[in-house]
Amino acid sequence: MHAKARNRSDTTQNQLNNQITKDAKFSIGQVAKMTGSSVPTVRYYDEIGLLSPAEITPGGHRMYTAEEIWRLKLILTLRYLNFGIDEIKRMLAGDIPVDMAIEWQIEALDLQMRTLASMKSILEQTKKSKGDSLSYMHELIESISADALEREKFILEKMFSSVFPEQFPVEWREIVLLGVNVSSLLEGKLSAAQTAALDELEDMFNDPQIVQEMKHDVMSFLEVVHLPKISVEMWTARLLKNHKQLLKAAEQHATPDSPVVQANIQEYVLLFADVDELPVSQSFFRRFAERLLSNQSENLERFRRICSILYPGLQSYMKTNELFYQALLWKLQQMDKE
């Protein structure tokens, strides 16, 4: 069966290669047929800037060459593997290394498998129950949700107590580690996906190596940063404003070296400095930026991704993360040239 399928695939690919020459141009209908897609899908990818035609005729018809057809095949392959549109854009633009994107997708699939296994278990238990199945299912999910919330509190307490040294003020622990106040992100019951993310988080903090990495991150943070003299609430409000500005810049496709992004980076660093006005000293900026960049690890990235699932309010922070670190790196490189 696999051999037959492979032969059919090879035949189709050979036919496609025979049809496509370097200078040949094809209509949107032809491209859709050649790639097993549809005209609305190809048109949609053009509208969102993922796949532009090589030419638009005076009559308004989209025309494509071999290069666009190959790009479309890559897009369709990545969509089949459940990559998101934004991820595909960044991969094709070179903003995300392919290996990193693949690792993220494997983690996402692991989480989905754990989520589905949990849901399947609930359904199987419900099937075996006697009496009102819907009522039993409701009570079972209520019990699981209540247990998850209790586990969440326990895991967060364990996380903050194991990662932070005693001299680190308790009121600043959540905001420094996650970037926001966790209590402001909790809303109602946890979904099946959030419960699975909680399991992942628990696994992470049962791993001594990961805990040590985070502890090292916090300790190096203390060597550079001056804890603010203002309240946590006021500092959080400033951080949120800074994030919204960077998110807006990212949505407008601002580059790391753009004035608006660099101004945002300077304002962010100011949040951690012992001064009240810009500019912060170049020595502090360098120490702070190098500290952030040097402590980026696969486990810390994984921690952030899991938290963005557990706390959906963090997802917008993840969207700006790459732009933020690219901007920090660009500024350091400019300082080296001066």
Side-chain angles (χ1 to χ4, degrees):
M1 181 67 183
H2 292 297
K4 291 180 180 179
R6 192 181 307 112
N7 289 336
R8 286 197 299 271
S9 176
D10 291 342
T11 300
T12 302
Q13 183 63 51
N14 289 334
Q15 291 173 345
L16 184 60
N17 290 338
N18 291 334
Q19 286 178 299
I20 300 174
T21 63
K22 183 177 180 181
D23 300 323
K25 293 180 181 177
F26 302 88
S27 69
I28 191 171
Q30 290 173 312
V31 170
K33 185 176 181 180
M34 293 160 66
T35 58
S37 184
S38 67
V39 170
T41 296
V42 181
R43 187 180 295 118
Y44 170 69
Y45 289 154
D46 180 18
E47 291 171 353
I48 63 175
L50 192 55
L51 178 74
S52 300
E55 174 188 333
I56 297 181
T57 68
H61 298 290
R62 296 173 172 86
M63 303 301 293
Y64 298 83
T65 66
E67 182 177 348
E68 289 77 47
I69 292 173
W70 174 240
R71 184 180 176 94
L72 175 58
K73 290 176 68 179
L74 283 177
I75 293 168
L76 294 173
T77 299
L78 293 170
R79 289 299 290 148
Y80 174 81
L81 293 171
N82 207 34
F83 282 90
I85 294 296
D86 286 342
E87 284 181 305
I88 295 173
K89 279 184 179 180
R90 295 172 67 193
M91 286 173 68
L92 295 180
D95 293 337
I96 303 179
V98 175
D99 289 348
M100 180 184 294
I102 290 174
E103 181 62 33
W104 291 355
Q105 194 65 359
I106 290 172
E107 285 183 13
L109 290 173
D110 284 340
L111 184 61
Q112 288 178 33
M113 290 168 66
R114 182 174 281 193
T115 301
L116 290 173
S118 176
M119 294 168 68
K120 181 182 177 184
S121 175
I122 291 172
L123 292 172
E124 287 176 339
Q125 291 181 61
T126 302
K127 183 180 177 180
K128 294 176 183 177
S129 67
K130 296 180 180 180
D132 188 346
S133 295
L134 290 178
S135 177
Y136 178 86
M137 184 187 299
H138 171 73
E139 291 176 2
L140 182 58
I141 293 175
E142 287 281 319
S143 175
I144 291 172
S145 296
D147 178 61
L149 288 172
E150 286 301 315
R151 285 176 56 230
E152 178 195 37
K153 293 177 183 177
F154 174 78
I155 293 169
L156 289 177
E157 288 175 1
K158 179 180 179 181
M159 178 172 68
F160 296 133
S161 63
S162 62
V163 168
F164 290 96
E166 291 184 4
Q167 66 268 32
F168 202 104
V170 174
E171 64 270 22
W172 287 97
R173 296 184 181 190
E174 289 186 6
I175 187 71
V176 169
L177 191 57
L178 294 176
V180 290
N181 192 323
V182 172
S183 60
S184 67
L185 298 173
L186 301 179
E187 294 183 2
K189 303 175 190 174
L190 297 182
S191 67
Q194 287 175 302
T195 303
L198 188 62
D199 292 338
E200 291 282 335
L201 197 62
E202 185 172 22
D203 288 345
M204 288 193 76
F205 283 92
N206 284 329
D207 186 328
Q209 180 182 342
I210 296 176
V211 171
Q212 188 59 38
E213 280 186 30
M214 290 198 164
K215 187 176 293 186
H216 178 267
D217 181 50
V218 169
M219 291 303 293
S220 61
F221 179 89
L222 283 177
E223 293 172 2
V224 177
V225 169
H226 301 277
L227 288 175
K229 299 180 177 65
I230 61 176
S231 67
V232 176
E233 291 74 19
M234 186 179 295
W235 193 86
T236 304
R238 291 184 184 179
L239 180 66
L240 182 60
K241 179 182 177 182
N242 179 268
H243 164 70
K244 287 180 177 178
Q245 291 172 343
L246 188 59
L247 181 61
K248 182 178 179 181
E251 290 172 343
Q252 294 175 345
H253 307 291
T255 56
D257 62 337
S258 64
V260 63
V261 173
Q262 284 301 314
N264 180 275
I265 295 300
Q266 290 287 338
E267 290 176 4
Y268 179 84
V269 175
L270 180 64
L271 288 170
F272 298 90
D274 59 350
V275 295
D276 297 323
E277 296 180 354
L278 289 171
V280 296
S281 68
Q282 286 203 346
S283 61
F284 180 82
F285 183 95
R286 178 180 291 280
R287 285 186 292 121
F288 182 78
E290 288 178 346
R291 197 284 308 178
L292 282 183
L293 291 168
S294 66
N295 285 331
Q296 296 312 299
S297 69
E298 290 183 7
N299 283 325
L300 288 175
E301 282 297 312
R302 179 185 166 208
F303 168 73
R304 295 188 187 101
R305 290 194 296 274
I306 292 173
C307 285
S308 71
I309 296 170
L310 183 58
Y311 308 108
L314 286 175
Q315 290 176 5
S316 62
Y317 284 85
M318 291 297 296
K319 289 182 180 179
T320 61
N321 216 36
E322 190 71 21
L323 178 60
F324 174 81
Y325 285 108
Q326 288 176 350
L328 272 183
L329 183 59
W330 181 88
K331 180 60 179 177
L332 283 178
Q333 291 172 341
Q334 294 305 115
M335 290 170 64
D336 290 337
K337 294 177 183 178
E338 294 174 357

